Amino acid sequence: MKTRVTELLGIRYPIIQGGMMWVGTAEMAAAVSNAGGLGTLTALTQPTPGALSAEIERCGAMTQRPFAVNLTILPTAKPPPYEAYLDAALAAGVRIIETAGNSPRAFIDKIKRAGGVIVHKCTTVRHALSAQRNGVDIVSIDGFECAGHPGEDDVPGLVLIPRAVRSLEIPVVASGGIGDGRGMAAALALGAEGVNMGTRFCATVEAPIHQRIKKALVRGTERDTQLIFRTLNNTARVFKNAIADEVVATERRPGGCEFKDIHPLVAGARGKVALAQGEINGGIITAGQVIGLIDDIPTCEVLVERIVAECRTQLKSALKRFED
Ligand SMILES: Cc1cc2nc3c(=O)[nH]c(=O)nc-3n(C[C@H](O)[C@H](O)[C@H](O)COP(=O)(O)O)c2cc1C
């Protein structure tokens, strides 16, 4: 399984675990990297750049393979010290940076000077083209199915991936809605050179999430996600629970709502506690429609090997049907 993505990232299989708030810890990232994919630590899950340095050291002690750091650049009133997080990652020897949320332009020179590779994750072809112009190495493109922020254009992967592949010269990684070898085979057939998964990796032994949440992901169907923040033009796809329903009901109130009206419901700290303590209705839990394809809670190694084997089988049998 050689693609430009495996070559640029120095990994065995073109399978990436995307940055995940509260989930992208050393245990998660090391397990994915040890399984032959690319694990990713989420910078902002750590309270300070110093804590990120320590987490990178912990991860490095658990794997000899490359892993990445995700820097999610969100437009907020009080931005975290993004550059200090990036400096901590580069100083600790991390060479693969996944950027998301906003243009990575301000950070590209610094990453390149350190000999780094930038995977920029975005949700539109125009943002992907801008990232390519700015010098990123790989674009991860998130279809509307994805967990987290799918953007406001609502274009699913089946259209978005080939659109991105047609338009870009740099390699494209397909993200959103992928959870098995069929999805990976489809992504490769559409021209992607790798896949990025979030939700599927949450339902693994190593994900630092309470077992009750993992089981809820297994039970959930493709209809069990909810789009929140639509009215605020900052759509997020999350697990459909009592909190997500309440957010949507508040947004639909006559006259709409402002962020401050829903802030107490969606506070990150609440989501963190829900994940850690297994309170399904305790806060916002990010998840994508791919939960409809999740039936078990394997180790990352079993999951990655299974996806790769299934992907090969699917590609071969599709070709065979075509040749016959
Ligand atoms: C629990 C969870 C937290 C996430 N947090 C982030 C984040 O902080 N930054 C980010 O860029 N993407 C985040 N994502 C999105 C993933 O990196 C990935 O793009 C997405 O999950 C792909 O869609 P999928 O879940 O259908 O595989 C998160 C996803 C999940 C499931």
Side-chain angles (χ1 to χ4, degrees):
M1 283 211 167
K2 253 196 196 161
T3 69
R4 285 185 291 171
V5 168
T6 58
E7 299 288 290
L8 276 165
L9 303 180
I11 52 176
R12 182 156 180 221
Y13 302 130
I15 298 179
I16 301 173
Q17 167 247 318
M20 290 190 276
M21 196 60 181
W22 311 128
V23 181
T25 60
E27 285 76 13
M28 178 87 265
V32 176
S33 290
N34 283 333
L38 181 76
T40 302
L41 294 175
T42 308
L44 300 185
T45 293
Q46 302 304 323
T48 60
L52 175 63
S53 308
E55 193 67 2
I56 292 168
E57 203 177 312
R58 233 163 52 77
C59 193
M62 288 187 245
T63 183
Q64 302 294 313
R65 305 245 175 101
F67 57 90
V69 165
N70 163 285
L71 195 63
T72 304
I73 312 154
L74 289 175
T76 83
K78 242 177 54 192
Y82 293 120
E83 189 142 8
Y85 276 101
L86 175 62
D87 288 343
L90 296 174
V94 171
R95 286 294 169 266
I96 306 171
I97 306 291
E98 181 196 55
T99 53
N102 215 328
S103 169
R105 195 165 167 188
F107 305 116
I108 290 177
D109 272 356
K110 183 172 261 184
I111 301 171
K112 292 275 168 164
R113 273 201 308 274
V117 175
I118 306 156
V119 182
H120 182 60
K121 193 169 61 191
C122 56
T123 60
T124 71
V125 173
R126 61 186 191 283
H127 289 134
L129 282 168
S130 147
Q132 175 177 271
R133 267 195 311 276
N134 287 329
V136 312
D137 302 283
I138 296 172
V139 158
S140 233
I141 196 120
D142 249 329
F144 187 49
E145 310 89 330
C146 74
H149 292 277
E152 308 305 321
D153 290 352
D154 304 359
V155 182
L158 212 50
V159 171
L160 192 60
I161 299 160
R163 268 289 284 119
V165 169
R166 281 190 199 186
S167 306
L168 296 168
E169 274 145 42
I170 58 174
V172 171
V173 168
S175 181
I178 297 164
D180 62 13
R182 290 174 201 273
M184 182 171 176
L188 296 178
L190 291 173
E193 295 184 53
V195 295
N196 181 66
M197 305 192 303
T199 308
R200 178 61 268 205
F201 280 121
C202 290
T204 57
V205 171
E206 295 92 345
I209 296 178
H210 196 283
Q211 192 69 4
R212 267 203 297 274
I213 304 289
K214 295 181 188 176
K215 285 188 174 161
L217 296 178
V218 170
R219 272 196 313 275
T221 75
E222 63 278 15
R223 301 178 66 233
D224 289 323
T225 70
Q226 177 77 281
L227 293 169
I228 60 171
F229 305 155
R230 282 246 96 162
T231 60
L232 305 173
N233 273 332
N234 187 25
T235 301
R237 188 182 293 283
V238 302
F239 190 68
K240 186 169 167 41
N241 64 6
I243 301 281
D245 285 345
E246 198 177 333
V247 171
V248 171
T250 311
E251 287 189 79
R252 285 182 184 155
R253 262 183 348 207
C257 82
E258 291 177 42
F259 186 65
K260 66 175 171 39
D261 303 328
I262 46 180
H263 182 256
L265 293 170
V266 302
R270 257 182 104 155
K272 180 183 179 184
V273 170
L275 284 177
Q277 296 181 5
E279 294 167 23
I280 310 283
N281 290 310
I284 289 296
I285 296 169
T286 303
Q289 292 179 319
V290 74
I291 52 178
L293 298 172
I294 298 177
D295 301 322
D296 61 357
I297 304 168
T299 62
C300 288
E301 189 186 350
V302 166
L303 177 67
V304 167
E305 286 297 335
R306 184 168 75 200
I307 289 178
V308 168
E310 199 185 19
C311 172
R312 287 198 169 109
T313 307
Q314 291 298 328
L315 288 173
K316 275 188 203 147
S317 68
L319 193 60
K320 194 154 171 279
R321 276 198 297 274
F322 178 71
E323 282 170 345
D324 286 347

